[in-house]
């Protein structure tokens, strides 16, 4: 298809003539079949809801087809309307547009649906099993047409993938306002999602899927590298030959061996699924595979003695690995777990004593016995970790509900005061060292889709970080130097999949200075096209998530979501090109609220004004809340921000004397 034909297809929107039916492509990864949760009456409603995208004369043809999709897959995806052209992040000029900002949004959402990137592309799912960009293909086609025809005097309103339409606005307004899965709070259980999504009225957008900000696996590699580096720092000691043990080579967990290698340690990650191991090995994310424990440990000892930074996959159950380490008294430096314990009963956690195949069969044939096996396995799992921790290993929970599910299984994971024995990676590392100081996952995408531009942005970002390091206070110099090392090595680590994108963690000052330097380079022609700025939800301000991003908030406010909502409202009137607000993200529907943004900068003075105004708010909003929660690092960071910006006036907390409060309460 020529570029002109592609442009014509976009401008057509939903075709007026019925396109030929599509065959179900078994080569492509498809979303799991969703359970049929709708009553007969609700099924009629789902069908009528789907048909409202099409003129009446097509209904007799489409109705039986859509009903068949609903019965077979639990959803109406409208497969017939999936376009024939290749969807990917083309260069910005290859999209038809009247508003360049809207073209940047087309580029970003196309990247999320690229077949090489999306997890289940035909069902418009980008990642996480259910992180949707749109609910069906009609929504995609309509949205692309609106984006291609809109001007900078209009704003597109998107409700969970459905384009409500274009509304008159003004150039300073966001071009798109997105909400995903926003429901009345009492109706936010997983089954509500099943029902609303099957009706075609709501969707779970994860976060970067539904806000068009997904950049492939590079984000998770970077976050994991930072975590492992800081975990190693906590234990101190010699710099090489340290051993990290964990589990999981899946979607996010698969980043662990690559990250451990970048952090210069030896790692063993256990994985029960052979396919997952082979995939990560073929991608170069894990170096060597073993299924024999004595042979593995012989090779590991060799690697430690030679100070190699090598990563090993153990093909087997993590509990077998932990117990072997206890039995053979091998010293482990740091440990964690990344099985999918947020989903323990349907394949997230494989119990010890069963092969992968046996466990898959058991969970369907005898769910009660499977439940028992998982809980027994968790008790053994925690026992072995406790023994190694008693021998000096630093263990942290990786936000995967390991401690929560282990405690439910009766494992020995609580201390005398009723708290978990171990902290999470947010409590010990990311929250205190990163989020409270304003450091978060700043990312950018080069709209030329040209790797030369990406190399130039890497170079500019490194220069900015080097400059900041020269005068940085000690509190944040390690964060800056870790990210400088990351960006200097980013190109060699070959992490780009899809759009020409990059990520690093920076604070407000860093994000603004890097963005401003990009803007100058675009103006001077050193970068050939606009750049899109954004971030994910693993951040300071955008996300209220009591078991993850805000788990180091201890003033009782971790179950509130004012911060995330304020974040997106504030971004929307400070210059964002698009904004988004989501129910869920990472931890699941009903478990968090997060706000996001995208901002296109094009080298203009207007872009400079917007980036300064919006990025300042996008970070400091969260630092303020964290400082009000009495987090020391955040109090330090917000005082520093007030010194640089006289218009910032923040309410600071007074500390209450613990002893005095204790006396009053116990009297
Ligand atoms: N990486 C991060 O930054 C991060 C942050 C927060 C939460 N998490 C959590 O980490 C978990 C993993 O995420 P994912 O995307 O990789 O999930 P995933 O389901 O794709 O991968 C988990 C892997 O663990 C393997 N596994 C399960 N039980 C096992 C066992 N007993 N022994 C060995 N292997 C076993 C599975 O086969 C699977 O491949 C999730 O709960 C996620 O929410 C990760």
């Amino acid at each position: 298809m020529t570029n002109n034909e592609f442009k014509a297809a976009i401008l057509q929107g939903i075709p007026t003539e019925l396109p030929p039916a599509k065959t179900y492509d078994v080569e492509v990864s498809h979303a799991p079949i969703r359970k049929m949760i709708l009553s007969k009456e609700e099924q009629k409603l789902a069908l009528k809801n789907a048909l409202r995208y099409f003129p009446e004369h097509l209904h007799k043809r489409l109705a039986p087809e859509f009903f068949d999709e609903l019965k077979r897959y639990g959803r109406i995806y409208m497969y017939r309307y999936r376009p024939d052209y290749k969807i990917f992040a083309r260069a910005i000029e290859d999209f038809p547009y009247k508003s360049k900002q809207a073209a940047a949004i087309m580029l970003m959402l196309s990247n999320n649906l690229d077949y090489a990137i999306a997890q289940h592309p035909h069902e418009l799912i980008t990642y996480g099993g259910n992180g949707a960009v749109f609910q069906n293909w009609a929504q995609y086609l309509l949205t692309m047409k609106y984006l291609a025809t809109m001007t900078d005097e209009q704003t597109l309103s998107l409700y969970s993938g459905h384009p409500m339409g274009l509304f008159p606005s003004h150039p300073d307004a966001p071009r798109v306002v997105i909400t995903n899965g926003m429901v009345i709070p009492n109706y936010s259980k997983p089954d509500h999602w099943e029902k609303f999504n099957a009706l075609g009225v709501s969707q779970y957008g994860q976060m970067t899927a539904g806000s068009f900000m997904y950049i492939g696996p590079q984000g998770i590699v970077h976050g994991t590298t930072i975590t492992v580096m800081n975990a190693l720092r906590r234990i101190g000691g010699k710099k090489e030959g340290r051993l990290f043990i964990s589990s999981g080579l899946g979607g996010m967990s698969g980043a662990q061996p690559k990250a451990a290698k970048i952090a210069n340690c030896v790692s063993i990650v256990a994985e029960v699924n052979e396919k997952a191991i082979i995939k990560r090995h073929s991608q170069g994310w894990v170096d060597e595979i073993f299924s024999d424990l004595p042979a593995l440990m012989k090779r590991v000892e060799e690697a430690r003695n030679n100070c190699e930074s090598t990563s090993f996959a153990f093909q087997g159950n993590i509990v077998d690995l932990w117990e072997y380490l206890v039995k053979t008294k091998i010293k482990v430096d740091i440990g964690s777990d990344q099985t999918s314990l947020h989903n323990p009963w349907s394949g997230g956690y494989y119990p010890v004593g069963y092969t992968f195949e046996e466990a898959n069969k058991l969970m369907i044939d005898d769910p009660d016995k499977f439940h028992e096996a998982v809980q027994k396995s968790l008790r053994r799992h925690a026992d072995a970790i406790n023994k190694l921790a008693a021998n000096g290993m630093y263990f942290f929970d990786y936000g995967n509900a390991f401690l929560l599910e282990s405690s439910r299984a009766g494992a020995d994971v609580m201390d005398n005061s009723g708290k978990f024995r171990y902290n999470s990676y947010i409590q010990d590392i990311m929250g205190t060292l990163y989020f409270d100081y304003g450091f978060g996952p700043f990312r950018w995408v080069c709209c030329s889709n040209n790797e030369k531009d990406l190399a130039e942005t890497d170079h500019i970002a490194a220069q900015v970080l080097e400059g900041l390091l020269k005068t940085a206070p000690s509190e944040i110099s390690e964060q800056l130097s870790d990210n400088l090392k990351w960006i200097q090595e980013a190109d060699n680590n070959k992490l780009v999949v899809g759009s020409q994108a990059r990520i690093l963690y920076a604070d407000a000052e860093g994000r603004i200075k890097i963005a401003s330097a990009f803007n100058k380079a675009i103006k001077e022609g050193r970068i050939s096209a606009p750049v899109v700025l954004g971030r994910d939800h693993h951040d300071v301000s955008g996300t209220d998530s009591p078991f993850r991003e805000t788990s180091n908030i201890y003033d009782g406010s971790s179950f509130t979501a004012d911060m995330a909502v304020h974040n997106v409202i504030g971004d929307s009137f400070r210059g964002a090109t698009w904004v988004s607000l989501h129910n869920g993200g990472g931890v699941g529907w009903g478990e968090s609220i997060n706000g996001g943004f995208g901002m296109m900068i094009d080298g203009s003075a207007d872009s400079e004004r917007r980036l300064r105004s919006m990025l300042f708010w996008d970070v400091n909003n969260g630092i303020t809340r964290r400082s009000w929660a009495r987090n020391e690092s955040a109090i330090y960071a917000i005082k520093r921000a007030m010194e640089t910006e006289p218009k910032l006036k923040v309410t600071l907390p007074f500390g209450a004397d613990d002893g005095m409060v204790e006396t009053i309460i116990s009297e």
Side-chain angles (χ1 to χ4, degrees):
M1 185 180 270
T2 65
N3 194 240
N4 279 344
E5 284 165 342
F6 165 71
K7 285 183 176 172
I10 296 291
L11 290 168
Q12 186 186 24
I14 297 177
T16 39
E17 297 296 319
L18 202 63
K22 295 268 186 308
T23 46
Y24 190 82
D25 187 348
V26 287
E27 298 297 314
V28 172
S29 170
H30 288 281
I33 292 171
R34 313 291 184 191
K35 64 181 174 187
M36 175 44 79
I37 197 165
L38 302 183
S39 66
K40 270 273 166 244
E41 277 311 303
E42 287 164 343
Q43 289 174 28
K44 286 186 211 160
L45 198 54
L47 198 53
K48 278 166 54 181
N49 286 349
L51 290 171
R52 61 186 154 169
Y53 288 97
F54 306 94
E56 284 83 355
H57 71 272
L58 294 176
H59 286 188
K60 277 211 171 99
R61 285 289 301 279
L62 291 175
E65 190 173 309
F66 288 172
F67 187 50
D68 187 55
E69 285 187 17
L70 185 64
K71 280 187 300 180
R72 267 179 209 262
Y73 311 115
R75 299 289 184 272
I76 301 173
Y77 297 112
M78 310 177 183
Y79 287 122
R80 178 190 284 272
Y81 285 90
R82 182 164 54 79
D84 292 321
Y85 54 80
K86 195 167 169 327
I87 304 180
F88 68 103
R90 293 157 200 261
I92 191 165
E93 294 302 333
D94 290 347
F95 291 93
Y97 69 84
K98 288 186 182 154
S99 153
K100 208 163 194 163
Q101 297 183 20
I105 301 172
M106 282 190 266
L107 181 160
M108 295 294 288
L109 84 81
S110 300
N111 190 55
N112 277 25
L113 291 172
D114 183 339
Y115 286 17
I117 288 178
Q119 186 183 18
H120 309 303
H122 290 189
E123 288 80 29
L124 303 109
I125 303 284
T126 301
Y127 69 100
N130 54 3
V133 189
F134 296 100
Q135 299 178 66
N136 57 54
W137 286 103
Q139 293 179 346
Y140 164 82
L141 293 172
L142 259 182
T143 300
M144 290 299 273
K145 181 175 177 177
Y146 278 131
L147 289 168
T149 53
M150 73 187 292
T151 69
D152 285 346
E153 301 280 338
Q154 289 170 303
T155 291
L156 175 64
S157 194
L158 269 178
Y159 286 22
S160 279
H162 170 70
M164 276 294 169
L166 293 173
F167 292 83
S169 64
H170 54 87
D172 246 18
R175 296 282 68 78
V176 182
V177 173
I178 301 171
T179 52
N180 278 306
M182 298 314 294
V183 294
I184 304 302
N186 270 350
Y187 301 85
S188 198
K189 294 274 181 279
D191 269 356
H192 292 122
W193 167 72
E194 294 279 359
K195 182 168 154 175
F196 303 144
N197 195 222
L199 285 172
V201 296
S202 190
Q203 73 174 7
Y204 182 60
Q206 285 280 359
M207 190 270 187
T208 54
S211 58
F212 315 152
M213 211 19 99
Y214 189 68
I215 57 163
Q218 127 166 235
I220 198 72
V221 174
H222 179 258
T224 313
T225 305
I226 296 292
T227 304
V228 176
M229 268 182 178
N230 281 294
L232 288 166
R233 248 173 223 144
R234 282 180 75 93
I235 58 164
K238 64 186 175 83
K239 291 266 180 291
E240 270 115 13
R242 288 178 292 181
L243 180 60
F244 169 49
I245 304 291
S246 189
S247 56
L249 288 173
M252 288 196 272
S253 51
Q256 293 177 105
K258 179 107 185 161
K261 199 175 163 86
I262 300 173
N264 279 336
C265 67
V266 178
S267 64
I268 313 176
V269 178
E271 169 59 64
V272 283
N273 181 352
E274 191 185 1
K275 280 200 179 125
I277 296 190
I278 291 171
K279 183 173 171 191
R280 293 306 184 193
H281 187 250
S282 67
Q283 290 171 333
W285 286 34
V286 62
D287 298 323
E288 298 176 31
I289 307 171
F290 285 83
S291 51
D292 177 67
L293 282 167
L296 167 63
M297 292 323 301
K298 192 161 169 264
R299 177 69 188 97
V300 166
E301 281 312 301
E302 182 184 276
R304 293 179 90 174
N305 292 336
N306 295 341
C307 297
E308 298 170 34
S309 321
T310 310
S311 58
F312 300 95
F314 168 57
Q315 187 178 337
N317 199 292
I318 181 65
V319 180
D320 285 326
L321 175 61
W322 282 123
E323 290 182 345
Y324 186 82
L325 293 164
V326 172
K327 196 173 87 187
T328 51
K329 298 195 169 43
I330 287 169
K331 172 118 179 64
V332 177
D333 297 292
I334 55 172
S336 193
D337 187 81
Q338 270 203 57
T339 54
S340 275
L341 272 162
H342 68 271
N343 172 30
W345 319 123
S346 32
Y349 183 87
Y350 285 83
V352 65
Y354 296 84
T355 63
F356 182 59
E357 293 73 23
E358 284 166 354
N360 278 331
K361 194 165 172 327
L362 187 66
M363 73 181 84
I364 292 163
D365 294 351
D366 192 344
D368 289 344
K369 193 164 172 207
F370 182 76
H371 195 287
E372 259 173 53
V374 165
Q375 294 208 319
K376 191 170 162 207
S377 182
L378 281 171
R379 290 192 290 272
R380 279 173 60 179
H381 197 152
D383 275 350
I385 286 171
N386 290 343
K387 286 186 182 122
L388 286 155
N391 196 23
M393 175 179 78
Y394 167 59
F395 182 85
F396 59 95
D397 185 281
Y398 219 128
N400 63 335
F402 171 73
L403 290 173
L404 184 68
E405 281 307 328
S406 298
S407 68
R408 286 175 180 159
D412 182 11
V413 289
M414 309 305 286
D415 67 13
N416 293 338
S417 66
K419 290 197 193 123
F420 290 133
R421 271 169 181 249
Y422 308 102
N423 276 344
S424 75
Y425 77 118
I426 297 283
Q427 289 171 300
D428 273 359
I429 299 170
M430 294 310 289
T432 41
L433 292 176
Y434 271 70
F435 301 162
D436 287 355
Y437 286 113
F439 281 80
F442 181 56
R443 57 182 58 186
W444 61 90
V445 173
C446 298
C447 292
S448 60
N449 204 18
N450 183 338
E451 57 187 40
K452 281 197 193 135
D453 277 343
L454 187 63
E456 180 62 20
T457 59
D458 284 348
H459 174 68
I460 292 172
Q463 273 185 329
V464 171
L465 293 186
E466 270 165 353
L468 288 172
L469 251 175
K470 284 186 191 139
T471 54
S474 60
E475 285 83 351
I476 58 166
S477 53
E478 211 158 57
Q479 293 86 323
L480 287 168
S481 58
D482 285 352
N483 280 284
L484 177 59
K485 179 176 180 304
W486 162 265
I487 198 74
Q488 284 168 335
E489 292 172 9
D491 188 39
N492 289 342
N493 285 326
K494 299 267 166 269
L495 292 161
V496 170
V497 185
S499 59
Q500 291 297 316
R502 189 66 79 215
I503 182 167
L504 58 75
Y505 274 53
D507 62 359
E509 187 185 12
R511 298 186 210 200
I512 291 169
K513 286 198 164 144
I514 292 170
S516 174
F518 290 169
N519 201 41
K520 187 161 178 273
I522 300 167
K523 186 176 169 202
E524 292 168 359
R526 283 179 286 126
I527 298 175
S528 69
V531 169
V532 166
L533 311 175
R535 57 164 170 74
D536 60 51
H537 49 102
H538 201 235
D539 203 1
V540 186
S541 309
T543 299
D544 276 297
S545 182
F547 298 107
R548 216 159 86 182
E549 283 81 350
T550 40
S551 61
N552 72 322
I553 300 282
Y554 303 107
D555 70 347
S557 71
S558 61
F559 288 90
T560 64
D562 299 297
M563 177 179 72
V565 175
H566 270 267
N567 186 261
V568 71
I569 294 173
D571 284 354
S572 75
F573 63 79
R574 288 181 170 87
T577 307
W578 71 101
V579 289
S580 59
L581 187 63
H582 312 260
N583 175 1
V587 285
W589 173 271
E591 301 289 355
S592 67
I593 296 288
N594 53 66
F597 76 90
M599 174 180 273
M600 189 199 81
I601 55 170
D602 60 6
S604 63
D606 193 43
S607 292
E608 187 68 18
R609 171 180 60 82
R610 287 167 187 249
L611 73 87
R612 284 183 182 279
S613 169
M614 200 213 70
L615 291 174
F616 186 85
W617 159 259
D618 190 64
V619 178
N620 282 303
N621 161 46
I623 303 182
T624 310
R625 186 271 182 105
R626 287 165 186 274
S627 99
W628 185 239
R630 295 180 285 266
N631 291 11
E632 288 298 331
S633 323
I635 294 173
Y636 168 85
I638 206 67
K639 282 184 179 165
R640 202 166 161 249
M642 282 194 277
E643 278 164 23
T644 60
E645 173 51 79
K647 278 189 269 176
L648 178 70
K649 305 273 180 220
V650 162
T651 317
L652 291 171
F654 291 102
D657 182 76
D658 282 341
M660 181 271 293
V661 172
E662 193 68 41
T663 318
I664 299 289
I665 295 288
S666 51
E667 264 169 11

